[in-house]
Amino acid sequence: MKKPNILSQPLKLRCGTTIKNRVCKSAMNEAIATGESRVVRGFEVLYETWARGGAGLLVTGNVMVDRFHANEPLAVAVEDKRDFLILQLWAKAAKTNGTQVWAQLNHPGKQSPKFLNKEPIAPSAIPLASDMFVPPRELKEEEIQEIIEKFTTTSIILKEAGFDGVQLHGAHGYLISQFLSPKHNQRQDKWGGNLDNRMRFVSEVYKSIREKVGKKFAIGIKLNSSDFQKGGFTQEESLLVCKALDELGIDMIEISGGSWENPVNRKGHLKESTKNREAYFLEFAELLKKTVSTPVMVTGGFRSQSAMIEALETKAVDLIGLARPLAIDPDLPNKLLNDNGVTSSVMPITTGIKKLDQMAIMEISWYTDQIRRMSEGKEPKTKVRGIWSVIEVLFHFWQRGQVVKKVRV
């Protein structure tokens, strides 16, 4: 008799809903919105493709709560009901196969490139270590309250449109992460200083959303295990923040790490234990599982079915997050659930040009281009064709940039 596949087991959340299996499409920026951050029908096509692929949960790419503060070109913003009908179609398509769909909510704070934002804001007026970004100004307290309201308003609209939940993006150096970091948050008021004050922003965002959407709407968070910066957000602090959110009733915690300034999961310097178990942050997830009762997910590095099963069977995680593997093989969850010996074909992208191969933007852009293809009803490409793929990706990237430039100017 065939042994039951633990990946197929359902997972019931505190909010009362059940994710049908343990495979989640984690957030990837789709970059298919209009230059004005409007939702398009391509999201409907794309998410139905992923839903039919078999994952139990689909987490969208960044949905901005303020269209004037975006983390990258062609990101969706939901501030009002101007695109409500298309949002409904998007949610309905994503739920085609009994799948749950959560929208990842984000405000980038100062991590918004200067060609998109000439006046970024942050907890403190501390610039990022790059001329890609304009130095930010410090948020006023009334502006902090306004941003909390924006997160809440976006959540209400998405719930009404049919989404099953939201995920707060509290990782990778964006605004929530900036508030948590003692390096980036040096405020002297109730929003900065000790950890209780620094976590006040994310706690108030969660409580405000929960009050308006009720107990049956899922709210999760993507949080850094650490930002791996001197004087920054530590693992010990992350455990305490997770414990506080767990006590507030959060439905799921996805673990990540690093920031734009220190993208640890793209540097290629892995501990032997990470290589053996494939996924980043599993050791931290095991520590976290001893601290919280809410489900824990890890995304980043999982490639083989055997490693995913081991992570679940050893109770290191409750959900397996997959991103890039689903950009080239949207049917991978079905294979993981029904076949044996499955391994994703995702490999580091190489073109033979050393400088290009070292550019993270090149690899990210190639996967984003496969997402674009799926949104147009096309099959994603699975192999890089050397310099020709570079030219094709850069052409589409240039096209997207021209669209944004025309609108922003």
Side-chain angles (χ1 to χ4, degrees):
M1 182 179 293
K2 186 178 179 181
K3 182 181 178 181
N5 187 341
I6 194 171
L7 288 162
S8 300
Q9 289 184 359
L11 178 66
K12 188 169 183 178
L13 304 178
R14 289 170 166 173
C15 60
T17 60
T18 299
I19 299 173
K20 67 177 183 178
N21 59 50
R22 302 303 179 99
V23 183
C24 169
K25 184 210 79 74
S26 191
M28 293 180 282
N29 287 345
E30 303 92 355
I32 59 173
T34 71
E36 295 177 312
S37 301
R38 303 288 298 267
V39 187
V40 297
R41 294 291 296 272
F43 286 98
E44 179 186 355
V45 177
L46 176 62
Y47 277 81
E48 183 170 348
T49 300
W50 273 325
R52 294 192 184 282
L57 172 63
L58 305 178
V59 179
T60 74
N62 286 191
V63 174
M64 298 297 151
V65 299
D66 186 334
R67 69 178 181 273
F68 297 110
H69 295 272
N71 70 324
E72 69 166 18
L74 306 184
V76 167
V78 177
E79 303 170 290
D80 51 39
K81 291 188 175 182
R82 63 179 182 164
D83 295 327
F84 191 71
L85 292 178
I86 304 181
L87 283 172
Q88 286 180 306
L89 293 172
W90 180 2
K92 182 179 179 181
K95 296 162 74 169
T96 296
N97 196 22
T99 305
Q100 291 240 340
V101 59
W102 298 5
Q104 186 183 75
L105 306 189
N106 193 12
H107 190 302
K110 62 185 171 185
Q111 204 164 268
S112 179
K114 62 185 178 182
F115 67 89
L116 290 177
N117 192 344
K118 303 297 183 185
E119 298 181 354
I121 50 182
S124 300
I126 299 170
L128 289 166
S130 171
D131 60 6
M132 281 181 57
F133 306 96
V134 176
R137 66 168 178 82
E138 182 172 301
L139 281 161
K140 300 174 183 177
E141 181 160 357
E142 58 267 28
E143 292 176 313
I144 295 174
Q145 296 292 349
E146 289 170 1
I147 294 173
I148 292 171
E149 285 302 312
K150 287 180 182 293
F151 273 96
T152 306
T153 297
T154 301
S155 300
I156 293 168
I157 293 168
L158 291 167
K159 179 186 177 185
E160 292 177 356
F163 286 78
D164 300 294
V166 293
Q167 182 191 61
L168 307 178
H169 199 334
H172 302 170
Y174 296 122
L175 186 61
I176 292 175
S177 178
Q178 289 163 33
F179 267 99
L180 290 170
S181 168
K183 177 179 179 178
H184 295 287
N185 179 359
Q186 297 181 17
R187 299 177 71 94
Q188 301 300 311
D189 59 8
K190 69 179 185 179
W191 303 99
N194 60 45
L195 182 59
D196 285 342
N197 283 353
R198 285 184 278 120
M199 76 166 78
R200 189 184 305 277
F201 179 71
V202 67
S203 298
E204 292 301 317
V205 169
Y206 171 80
K207 289 190 288 187
S208 178
I209 294 172
R210 178 61 75 202
E211 181 183 357
K212 297 297 183 181
V213 300
K215 295 181 179 180
K216 295 183 179 180
F217 187 72
I219 306 174
I221 189 166
K222 185 169 190 170
L223 195 71
N224 276 352
S225 59
S226 168
D227 57 21
F228 301 100
Q229 291 183 309
K230 185 177 180 180
F233 186 60
T234 67
Q235 289 195 2
E236 293 74 19
E237 290 181 325
S238 183
L239 288 170
L240 291 171
V241 172
C242 289
K243 183 178 180 181
L245 292 171
D246 181 46
E247 290 171 354
L248 286 174
I250 202 138
D251 290 295
M252 190 260 282
I253 299 172
E254 179 184 359
I255 293 303
S256 192
S259 65
W260 182 89
E261 291 181 304
N262 189 18
V264 294
N265 59 342
R266 294 200 299 269
K267 289 190 173 182
H269 306 303
L270 304 179
K271 294 189 300 183
E272 196 61 34
S273 60
T274 300
K275 290 180 182 179
N276 293 336
R277 302 177 73 186
E278 296 186 353
Y280 303 97
F281 317 120
L282 271 183
E283 291 178 6
F284 179 83
E286 288 172 325
L287 288 175
L288 180 60
K289 287 279 290 175
K290 298 174 182 177
T291 305
V292 302
S293 57
T294 195
V296 173
M297 178 169 82
V298 166
T299 301
F302 280 120
R303 296 294 180 262
S304 71
Q305 182 187 50
S306 59
M308 298 176 203
I309 289 174
E310 180 184 3
L312 290 169
E313 287 183 338
T314 58
K315 301 189 185 302
V317 296
D318 301 287
L319 279 165
I320 303 295
L322 299 174
R324 293 181 187 184
L326 299 191
I328 62 171
D329 187 0
D331 199 49
L332 180 62
N334 282 330
K335 297 172 185 175
L336 291 169
L337 297 169
N338 298 304
D339 300 332
N340 292 320
V342 178
T343 299
S344 169
S345 61
V346 165
M347 297 286 288
I349 290 178
T350 56
T351 62
I353 305 172
K354 188 174 181 180
K355 287 188 176 180
L356 275 176
D357 292 344
Q358 292 175 341
M359 293 172 61
I361 189 66
M362 179 60 231
E363 184 154 331
I364 292 169
S365 296
W366 189 81
Y367 285 104
T368 301
D369 211 43
Q370 307 322 306
I371 292 173
R372 175 194 60 80
R373 288 179 59 85
M374 287 190 285
S375 75
E376 296 172 353
K378 302 173 184 175
E379 293 285 331
K381 295 180 179 179
T382 58
K383 294 182 179 179
V384 180
R385 297 178 297 115
I387 191 63
W388 296 110
S389 289
V390 174
I391 293 169
E392 182 179 28
V393 168
L394 292 178
F395 174 70
H396 288 299
F397 194 72
W398 174 83
Q399 281 185 317
R400 292 195 290 267
Q402 291 300 107
V403 170
V404 173
K405 185 177 179 181
K406 288 178 182 177
V407 173
R408 300 285 174 178
V409 173

